[in-house]
Amino acid sequence: MLELIAQGPRSSDRWRRGFPTPKDGSGLPAAVTLGRVEGTWKTDWDDRISRQHAVLAVQADGMVNVQKLPTAQNPIFFRGQEQDRFALSAGEHFVIGRTTFTLARRTAARPAAGPLEVTEHAFDREALRRQRFRDAPKRIDMLSRLPDLISGSNSDSELFVRVVGMMLQATPGATMVAIVCVDEDLEGESDQADVQVLHYDSRSTVDQAPNPSARLARSAVQRGESILHLWGGAGRREGQAGAYTASEDVDWAYCVPILAESCRGWALYVTGQLDVTGGTFLEQSLMAAPLDLQDDVKFTELVATTMGNLRQVRSLQRRQAGLRRFFAPVVMEALATRDADQVLEPREADVSVLFCDLRGFSRRSEEASDHLLDLLNRVSEALGVMTRHILDRDGVVGDFHGDAAMGFWGWPLDQVDAPGRACRAAIAISEEFLAAATGANRPMSGFRCGIGIATGRAVAGRIGTIDQVKVTAFGPVVNLASRLEGMTRPLAAEILIDEATADFVRNSVPSSLARVRRLVRVRPAGFSGAIDVCQLLPPEGPQSPLANRDLLQYESALDALILGRWDEAFAALHEVPAEDRAKDFLTATIARHGRVAPTGWDGVIDLPKG
């Protein structure tokens, strides 16, 4: 794999990036842009590089074409001459401003070196934690910048570049730093196929970059501890003053596993040379190496821990973001602090259930039979209005039934004001549909809604079969809410609520937010007993044609009807404004019986199944 190394005027002005994996099936990596803004391979330390300076594209022959962009203000120098377009080979470089860009090939893990003698030292994690840094201020400064450095990475490849670059800067004795990944499902110690180099950077020239030891990486990850390897004996050559130099210009390497589920099999690998200057013998350096390197190992362990923890948090955040499509925010809040099985376990709870059905769907579907996708988009927008207002008031969307949505409150967290939340959501939904009905160009124009709300005991939680589950509620109160929604059509009222919900509104919701009136006592088909049906209305004002005195007039007519005084009830209903469509149900019932209560009248109107 080809990589590009950028080196600016300071040692910290550096990165090494691999050309991205191809996505178009051509087998060639995608082109990349050098520059100083997001979306480019940023070199923001050099103001002589333009916001978008050059495009680099890998060719089939392994060369990289470099093309200067028209937006670039300063020249590109290649082989000592100013060039706007040229082909770059591995090992070659070009210069823009004060930054040198070198093309390199990615190294791979190497198998264990047979003839070399290896001394192994494992570091005790607790002992390292107790050990103080000898250069504490510098190390602490580096670690304080690490969270921002990692959290600012918008991809794993960017994360690797930043961490490796920082580690190389923070470890002066390191020749090379890498992030490796060990496939723990594969076995064998002589094959490097199970060790992948995710990213690395080296101080060496391109042709002399050391290769990570697969044996060391595998051992550290499998044992879950930091391990140091020191090379000595065969394979070395004697130099002046008894100093020795290992093959590949490295004498030691240590590997620190990243112990986080989100980084399974990952490790930080650091290698470098012993200090054998000033007459120091190799044997002396080998003996002192574990002590000399323990600060670097401890620092690397802290980097590994921070990297693993922050990446774990990011993994959980991504997982939660994905779950938001399936769970309401109030459920996500509960899942964040408690065990998921405990939260989702079905349990009894006092809930308020809201059913909202789309009116006008059947007629619109017939009219739009040739434009069904457009109709689907309009229905989706209408359902989105329902669900948005349910979720905005900390409700749970329990289910969709064709062109209807069901939401409920009171689970997974107890909500003593669940009826009030349901009613506020219902009024907001109704008002948005009403506003859309006056706009011919709005996607929801032509649609109205019917809403039923009931409050009572239900079982809520994860409900379903072994093959499929969903989070919802079930019980008589759910059936009642559904029946109330079904009654909105014959009773000509948009929002109907049961008596339990109405009591809460009367006692706990200011009339400036919502009003309630008793509408009728009915015995729905399939119900053995009577239920009191109430209507939820917006506050007195422009949104409602009925004044408070009109509601009192209607309720006095209802009382007379229940007591069997139908003539009196009929007269009282005529005092209610004609804009009140809900009164038409009682007026028609009385007129159908000649204004005389039927024999055996018990104050309850039998409602046929609609």
Side-chain angles (χ1 to χ4, degrees), residues 236-245 281:
R236 298 181 180 274
R237 66 179 188 271
E238 186 174 356
Q240 294 181 352
Y244 290 82
T245 303
F281 287 91

Side-chain angles (χ1 to χ4, degrees), residues 5 185 433 476 573 608:
I5 304 169
D185 296 328
F433 271 87
L573 287 171

